[in-house]
Amino acid sequence: MARESEIRYLSPVDIEKRSQSKYCRFKKMGIKYVDYKDPDFLIRFLNDQGKILPRRITGNSLKFQRRVAVAIKRARQLALLPYVADNLK
């Protein structure tokens, strides 16, 4: 027979729900223009491989996610940001 302590691990683990809701940092800080000439700011919206992070992860609104994507693509054209990277961060 199984002991009381062994059965405890078979039950599902309680998952804590995220109390903070996602917010658009551009609306919160009042940023109206996304500058493509600032690679240090734009690198926050890229993952380690250099791909653009989606809205559901960054929390940006649709309007600013489009502006960030355009700014990143322009910075890539000017060689300020890489198209592909192994360890970007």
Side-chain angles (χ1 to χ4, degrees):
M1 287 276 167
R3 293 185 194 152
E4 189 80 25
S5 62
E6 292 174 326
I7 296 174
R8 179 179 60 188
Y9 294 108
L10 297 176
S11 62
V13 179
D14 291 336
I15 299 172
E16 296 179 22
K17 291 190 176 184
R18 189 173 177 180
S19 61
Q20 277 186 335
S21 61
K22 295 179 188 172
Y23 64 93
C24 180
R25 70 182 79 194
F26 295 99
K27 286 183 180 177
K28 187 174 184 181
M29 295 181 181
I31 300 172
K32 295 185 178 180
Y33 178 72
V34 182
D35 191 14
Y36 66 91
K37 294 172 277 191
D38 189 9
D40 296 330
F41 178 72
L42 294 176
I43 207 164
R44 296 179 190 173
F45 300 100
L46 300 175
N47 66 2
D48 294 337
Q49 298 171 344
K51 295 181 181 178
I52 301 172
L53 291 173
R55 275 182 65 204
R56 60 186 164 81
I57 295 176
T58 59
N60 293 338
S61 63
L62 179 62
K63 176 172 123 177
F64 284 105
Q65 181 68 21
R66 285 181 184 151
R67 290 182 182 182
V68 165
V70 169
I72 288 173
K73 291 173 185 177
R74 287 181 181 165
R76 286 175 175 167
Q77 283 284 323
L78 294 173
L80 298 175
L81 289 175
Y83 282 97
V84 180
D86 287 336
N87 290 325
L88 191 58
K89 295 182 181 178

